[in-house]
Amino acid sequence: MELIRIDTQKAYEQLRDRIVRLQLAPGALIDEQQLSAELDLSPTAVREAIKLLAHDGLVQVTPRHGLYVAPVSLEDLAQLSEMRAPLEALCARLAAQRATADELAVLAALRQEHHGIAASDSGRLFELDHRFHQAIAGAAHNKYLAQTLETFFGLSQRLWYLALPEIASLPAAVEKHLDMMAAIQAGDADRAERLMRTHVQSFYDEVKEILAKKLG
Amino acid sequence: MTTPLSPTPPLVLGIDTGGTFTDAMLLNYHTREVLAAHKSLTTKRDLSIGIEEVIDGIQITDPAAIKMVSISTTLATNAIAEGKGKRVGLLLIGYDAELVESFKMNERFATPHYYYFEGGHDLYGQEKAPLDLAGILATVNSLRGQVDALAVSSYFSPLNPEHELRVFEAVSSICDLPIVLGHQLSTKLGSIERATTAALNASLLAILQDFVVAVRRAMAHRHIDAPLMVVRGDGTLMSDEFAAQTPVETIHSGPAASAIGGRFLSGIDDALVLDVGGTTTDLALIQDGQVNVTEAGATVSGYKTAVKAADLLSIALGGDSAITLGRDRRLSLGPERVTPLAYLAHQYPPVEQRLTQLASRTWDHESAPHLQYWYILHQPQASRPLSPQQKNLLRFLADGPKSVPDILKHMGVLHPAQIVVNELFRQEILAKAGLTPTDLLHAEGRFTPWSTAAAEAALTILGRCLWQEPAKIREVVWRQANETIVRAVVAFVSGISLPPPVIKDKSFGTWVFDNSLYHRHPHLDTQFHLQIPIIGIGAPAEVFLAEVARVLHTELILPEHHEVANAVGAVAGSIMVTEEILVYPQLSAEGLDVIAYYVQTNEGREIYEVAGDALNYARSLAEERVLGAALRSGADNPQVTVEVLPNGLDSYRVGAKAMGNPRLEKR
């Protein structure tokens, strides 16, 4: 059991969470030593974790000025939605065609879980939304598509947290999963694709509106 | 570049983390000479503290000379015995609920959260009923927040693990709980033992993982860069990575290591090894130099598992067993383990003052309840939800330990059961302290690292409540300890258990036992004669065992370094890897003819027309796998044996085993 691997994983998860939840602000300078002290993990583990985060696009490495949390911009949001909407839609289409009975059971269970979450619990709603997209990606049976979407999801999450206090429709957006699930279950590829595109697009649109005010 | 010859011989570091003490010793692997040994207190809230302390105590001058660290631990056994494992949801697939409940076999599952679902396979690996995945997922959803891990056991899963694998796939899509699958732990067909093993493994996963990481960290801080091994319940070694996945295999690893260490240090090949710790006393038999292993599966806290382990008996009696005064005003010893008052008073001087003050109140015959203390072991995490009552208690204890009567008064209740804090004890946020044999040893001046004054005061208080001299109290406690251990020895060696002493029993067996201990009959004397010596292990061994050996008319051997024998045993074992592959028939549609044979491994199955070909393939596959795994685990020149065991009609278990001594030089 490699200690450094475990610690790197720990550092990666904690730092990723801090960046996504904006506890490390976009554009902020990263101080490896300070983080190593705060997380109580070795500097080597933190450095390795930062490399992984740079690969995810959440950290920027500039040769002269050091390490920064990747900044966010409206442009990012536009580019992400441009990529994600059609790919998620494709994913939903494939899932409607390919989902096994077991995968449909998983989707149904996620839907059931949704009933138990309070509308104000945005942390859990985000988590559930993530699982839902992951489950659909799994049901699409295309690993490259799943990997690609996972990366975009991570990048988008940060923008959502930025807009979070003002998002009114988070529960409603998650609610959309119900229709989508029904379409996937019925094997209605067209409908699943259309619903997913609208789900992703309308959420981005709302976030864009909020951030446009915020970021000016 | 040439490698200079190493000036120091290869050293190995053995560590044993017991319920009370953490022991370590440094051994020259070739000459088998113990170079240094040390003992420190186990720090349960973070075992790495105790481990670092004990490594520091050894004073290692050349960390690079250490070629292997091996560790045995009663962590798993104690976690189960004390109900401190993680909470587990057990998903049973294809089990006949009515049958299980009618034989009360559900009490053996080791978790109160078990659920039955449709599915499972039959004796020939054919699907018995479709898997009720929707039901399983709904149950998992409803368990959110109530369990920390999941275990899955499907009927006949060793023959066909398909349902367990499907559950794993689906459940990991809806939650992050660790999931243990029964077929990965046992290829034996006993469905109840497999379910129990899976549930226990799940409850121990996080505990063992934290432990391995803590040891690795302690090693890194001391610049020890060597493979880490963990002792199994049968005394053999496995890599730390393997141990973190199959913690259930470490059940009984402490006692197995101490038995091996006892033999190693004494050089005696046939003996009864008695390891007296702080929490338990463990018994094991050594025959022809080997620890007796039970093929039937280890039993821990009454739970029967499918894990191979040393045949041993563990009783809840040790240096830190609680001495309590029952309602009938009788003294009892154990089974609960508490912090000795001497130690508590040493840590918190006000406790000593309080006890001495109570001891001076010559008129007070009711103060025995004041000998029980509760205190905060470590502060709960800020995020932990607490009830108002729990918050109140924690505030009250914030400035130090308080006696139970003081706590009751403060909380405004009449009985400790009215304070809902079991969960805080379970998580080691709170701990109990009380009078223990360790305190008696302080009062007798036989072992005095902590507050002797507190121990003496406590005995005076208890004596006065019973209108007896403190010396008499000590006598009663020691007699009870002796009787309990002798009873365990007789039951363990003979295989016949006696009724517990609380039952007034007029049987011949009880009379013989009683008469052999106390020689009450005026004309007819009986006595026990244990024909093998007792090897005593553990710090309090001499105190507890001298009288035991005398009553059993045998010799008590206390080898040099016996107090750290378990740490010695941790490095004296061999590395072992096993693998089992099942071969069983495929039946024709009518179920009358065998048309082919399946070779079933964890990953999948192959079909052969002839049994001979199937068995040959299984043999070579098993052999190849164990050899590879043993080499990866750090075994030097492992020897492989393969055996084919019949496993019911036309079915076979092909078991391969690779064993070798640890390879101490890096290649």
Side-chain angles (χ1 to χ4, degrees), chain A residues 1-3 5-7 10 40-41 101-103 105-106 109-110 112-113 124 127 131 135, chain B residues 133-134 137-138 141 144 166 170 172-176 209 212-213 216-217 220 240-241 244:
Chain A
M1 194 179 266
E2 292 264 2
L3 199 55
R5 218 176 53 213
I6 297 165
D7 285 355
K10 248 191 201 166
D40 195 18
L41 292 167
D102 285 9
E103 286 154 356
V106 167
L110 289 171
Q112 185 200 29
E113 192 195 332
R124 268 190 76 191
E127 192 200 313
R131 282 196 193 286
Chain B
L133 194 63
L137 293 172
N141 260 339
R144 191 169 288 272
R166 278 171 63 196
S172 46
S173 310
I174 67 161
C175 72
D176 291 328
Q209 265 159 20
V212 165
V213 170
R216 277 280 177 191
R217 215 175 290 288
D240 58 344
E241 203 136 354

Side-chain angles (χ1 to χ4, degrees), chain B residues 72-240:
Chain B
S72 66
T73 172
T74 53
L75 194 59
T77 317
N78 284 359
I80 298 165
E82 298 173 18
K84 283 177 182 156
K86 301 287 173 186
R87 300 164 303 171
V88 173
L90 173 62
L91 311 174
L92 300 162
I93 300 164
Y95 282 62
D96 183 339
E98 239 169 74
L99 189 72
V100 170
E101 314 259 326
S102 69
F103 285 96
K104 299 208 166 168
M105 288 186 287
N106 49 320
E107 288 167 11
R108 290 160 44 184
F109 286 144
T111 170
H113 309 279
Y114 53 87
Y115 308 90
Y116 301 97
F117 302 96
E118 289 287 307
H121 291 78
D122 66 14
L123 189 51
Y124 298 101
Q126 323 252 26
E127 189 173 84
K128 199 176 65 165
L131 176 67
D132 176 17
L133 194 63
I136 289 173
L137 293 172
T139 301
V140 171
N141 260 339
S142 71
L143 285 173
R144 191 169 288 272
Q146 294 172 49
V147 297
D148 312 302
L150 294 169
V152 187
S153 184
S154 173
Y155 212 61
F156 281 117
S157 65
L159 294 181
N160 193 336
E162 185 210 336
H163 285 182
E164 287 184 8
L165 294 171
R166 278 171 63 196
V167 170
F168 178 82
E169 191 68 30
V171 172
S172 46
S173 310
I174 67 161
C175 72
D176 291 328
L177 296 177
I179 306 165
V180 171
L181 303 181
H183 80 275
Q184 292 174 339
L185 294 169
S186 169
T187 51
K188 289 183 195 147
L189 298 182
S191 58
I192 303 292
E193 284 83 358
R194 185 172 59 252
T196 307
T197 309
L200 289 175
N201 200 62
S203 79
L204 298 170
L205 275 177
I207 296 177
L208 249 287
Q209 265 159 20
D210 286 354
F211 176 67
V212 165
V213 170
V215 178
R216 277 280 177 191
R217 215 175 290 288
M219 286 166 62
H221 287 168
R222 300 297 173 277
H223 311 290
I224 300 169
D225 180 19
L228 175 62
M229 296 288 162
V230 181
V231 182
R232 277 203 192 81
D234 62 359
T236 60
L237 307 181
M238 58 182 158
S239 70
D240 58 344

Side-chain angles (χ1 to χ4, degrees), chain A residues 11-197:
Chain A
Y12 172 74
E13 279 166 16
Q14 292 187 31
L15 288 177
R16 194 176 200 285
D17 198 58
R18 286 188 185 198
I19 293 174
V20 166
R21 288 172 189 266
L22 308 167
Q23 286 157 355
L24 282 171
L29 190 67
I30 293 177
D31 182 343
E32 280 183 10
Q33 280 186 339
Q34 189 197 334
L35 284 176
S36 155
E38 269 179 46
L39 301 176
D40 195 18
L41 292 167
S42 74
T44 320
V46 171
R47 197 166 314 130
E48 290 299 311
I50 288 173
K51 275 187 205 159
L52 294 172
L53 290 165
H55 184 258
D56 290 349
L58 289 169
V59 164
Q60 278 184 355
V61 188
T62 53
R64 277 166 174 269
H65 299 97
L67 298 162
Y68 293 90
V69 178
V72 290
S73 65
L74 281 175
E75 208 177 318
D76 271 342
L77 187 75
Q79 290 179 4
L80 278 169
S81 78
E82 236 168 57
M83 276 302 275
R84 244 194 100 216
L87 285 180
E88 286 281 5
L90 170 64
C91 197
R93 159 172 285 279
L94 295 177
Q97 288 162 347
R98 296 174 182 171
T100 63
D102 285 9
E103 286 154 356
L104 290 174
V106 167
L107 288 173
L110 289 171
R111 189 183 107 173
Q112 185 200 29
E113 192 195 332
H114 179 219
H115 291 308
I117 304 179
S120 57
D121 193 347
S122 50
R124 268 190 76 191
L125 284 173
F126 270 150
E127 192 200 313
L128 183 67
D129 185 54
H130 191 186
R131 282 196 193 286
F132 195 79
H133 285 278
Q134 278 176 327
I136 292 177
H141 295 267
N142 181 326
K143 65 172 184 259
Y144 302 108
L145 186 56
Q147 276 169 19
T148 310
L149 284 172
E150 186 64 23
T151 310
F152 291 145
F153 201 95
L155 290 167
S156 306
Q157 259 178 326
R158 204 157 57 122
L159 293 157
W160 299 338
Y161 269 101
L162 203 56
L164 184 62
E166 280 114 286
I167 298 182
S169 62
L170 183 60
V174 178
E175 193 73 35
K176 286 271 165 29
H177 294 162
L178 303 191
D179 297 340
M180 216 177 326
M181 211 210 102
I184 291 172
Q185 197 160 20
D188 188 341
D190 290 340
R191 188 172 149 76
E193 181 180 357
R194 196 173 58 243
L195 285 169
M196 180 63 101
R197 190 187 297 275

